[in-house]
């Protein structure tokens, strides 16, 4: 697997790439405070089925912090420019948490580039769109979580830093994903961990209903970070999702 720094639209991002040229291309987009590393299980489960590319967005993981925090729409444009610069074709676009907001924006802006989209734990629940409520939900999700998940989270949050984290949190809260979802034309899969308090069932069902061509699945006994602990299960859902298109 190769790791590279790439200059996109004036912003430096970091990407990992399995460089496997056969099969589909999967592009993985992380959540707030996170980076490439927490996709390790999911990437390992997908790489035998195609090329897997993950990206550290500006200011996250190992990508340097830009002068100002970007809106979700602007982050979506960076993702579009990255796909075109790297000549990734029409990747299966997979976003987690905040990454679902970025992915939704990219898919809505350029439906021609992204025929298949996967939203894992979509944020932010419009019925609880306050910093205090979201912080409480995250605390609920992390209570009793495994050392593996906590360790990955702490390492990534340390790289991001509190000042940049707060800036991006504001961008998340300012973004009404429900207004973007209705513009998505892609064949879309929405995935929720059944124990995820950040993305309650009623909200994820609403997200799915807003997208014209979407279905939803749940992962048993998993919370917000479902693909960290159960990457193989999430990969299975993604592969089943795209197989329905391939066989259509």
């Amino acid at each position: 697997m190769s790791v590279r720094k790439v200059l996109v639209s004036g912003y430096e991002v970091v990407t990992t790439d399995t460089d496997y040229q056969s099969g589909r291309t999967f592009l993985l987009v992380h959540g707030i405070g996170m980076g490439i590393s927490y996709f390790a299980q999911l990437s390992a489960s997908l790489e035998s089925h195609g090329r897997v590319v993950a990206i550290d967005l500006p200011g996250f993981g190992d990508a340097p912090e830009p002068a100002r925090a970007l809106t979700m729409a602007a982050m979506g444009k960076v993702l579009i420019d990255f796909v075109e610069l790297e000549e990734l074709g029409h990747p299966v676009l997979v976003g987690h948490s905040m990454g679902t907001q970025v992915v939704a924006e990219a898919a809505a802006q350029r439906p021609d580039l992204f025929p298949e989209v996967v939203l894992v734990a979509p944020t932010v629940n419009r019925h609880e769109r306050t910093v205090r409520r979201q912080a409480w939900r995250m605390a609920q999700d992390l209570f009793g979580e495994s050392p593996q998940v906590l360790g990955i989270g702490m390492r990534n949050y340390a790289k991001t830093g509190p000042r940049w984290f707060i800036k991006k949190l504001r961008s998340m809260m300012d973004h009404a994903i429900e207004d973007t979802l209705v513009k998505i034309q892609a064949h879309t899969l929405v995935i929720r961990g059944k124990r995820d308090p950040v993305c309650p069932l009623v909200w994820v069902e609403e997200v799915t209903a807003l997208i014209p061509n979407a279905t939803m699945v749940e992962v048993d006994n998993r919370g917000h970070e479902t693909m960290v602990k159960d990457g193989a299960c999430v990969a299975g859902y993604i592969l089943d999702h795209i197989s329905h298109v391939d066989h259509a």
Side-chain angles (χ1 to χ4, degrees), residues 15-244:
T15 178
T16 63
D17 192 337
T18 58
D19 298 315
Y20 182 64
Q21 297 301 319
S22 182
R24 302 298 302 273
T25 296
F26 303 90
L27 177 55
L28 312 182
V29 185
H30 61 77
I32 189 169
M34 294 292 108
I36 290 167
S37 61
Y38 86 152
F39 278 122
Q41 265 201 33
L42 179 59
S43 178
S45 298
L46 289 173
E47 62 185 16
S48 62
H49 300 274
R51 181 182 181 185
V52 183
V53 180
I55 182 173
D56 278 347
L57 294 165
F60 295 102
D62 292 318
E65 180 181 325
R68 59 182 179 84
L70 302 181
T71 65
M72 294 297 114
M75 294 279 267
K77 181 60 166 61
V78 170
L79 195 61
I80 290 166
D81 292 345
F82 173 77
V83 168
E84 294 189 318
L85 180 68
E86 293 291 292
E87 298 181 343
L88 298 183
H90 299 84
V92 179
L93 196 51
V94 182
H96 171 256
S97 196
M98 182 201 76
T100 65
Q101 296 174 256
V102 179
V103 162
E105 284 293 338
Q109 292 174 38
R110 288 293 303 275
D112 58 307
L113 273 184
F114 306 113
E116 287 134 18
V117 163
V118 180
L119 306 178
V120 185
T123 55
V124 175
N125 178 1
R126 71 181 182 91
H127 307 289
E128 299 184 343
R129 193 177 284 137
T130 67
V131 171
R132 177 175 294 184
R133 176 57 71 173
Q134 289 301 302
W136 169 239
R137 291 303 191 196
M138 286 301 299
Q140 287 180 303
D141 184 67
L142 291 173
F143 181 76
E145 196 45 278
S146 70
Q148 174 199 16
V149 172
L150 294 175
I152 292 172
M154 290 301 293
R155 286 194 296 273
N156 279 280
Y157 283 132
K159 287 182 179 180
T160 299
R163 183 172 59 86
W164 181 249
F165 181 90
I166 291 169
K167 285 183 179 180
K168 286 310 301 177
L169 185 59
R170 289 177 183 145
S171 296
M172 283 182 66
M173 295 300 162
D174 289 341
H175 181 249
I177 190 173
E178 63 272 14
D179 294 337
T180 303
L181 296 172
V182 295
K183 303 174 186 175
I184 295 176
Q185 299 177 28
H187 179 227
T188 303
L189 175 66
V190 184
I191 301 177
R192 174 184 181 266
K194 280 192 175 180
R195 295 192 295 102
D196 185 355
V198 181
C199 300
L201 178 59
V202 65
W203 163 244
V204 179
E205 288 178 333
E206 184 177 341
V207 166
T208 307
L210 285 169
I211 303 169
N213 185 20
T215 56
M216 188 192 87
V217 296
E218 291 186 288
V219 180
D220 287 335
N221 301 313
R222 297 298 178 225
H224 196 62
E225 308 296 340
T226 181
M227 76 289 169
V228 176
K229 295 176 69 175
D230 212 345
C233 178
V234 173
Y237 281 129
I238 293 172
L239 294 169
D240 183 63
H241 173 69
I242 66 172
S243 73
H244 284 86

Side-chain angles (χ1 to χ4, degrees), residues 2-20:
S2 62
V3 181
R4 294 182 295 113
K5 293 182 178 180
V6 182
L7 189 64
V8 183
S9 309
Y11 302 100
E12 191 173 284
V13 303
V14 177
T15 178
T16 63
D17 192 337
T18 58
D19 298 315
Y20 182 64

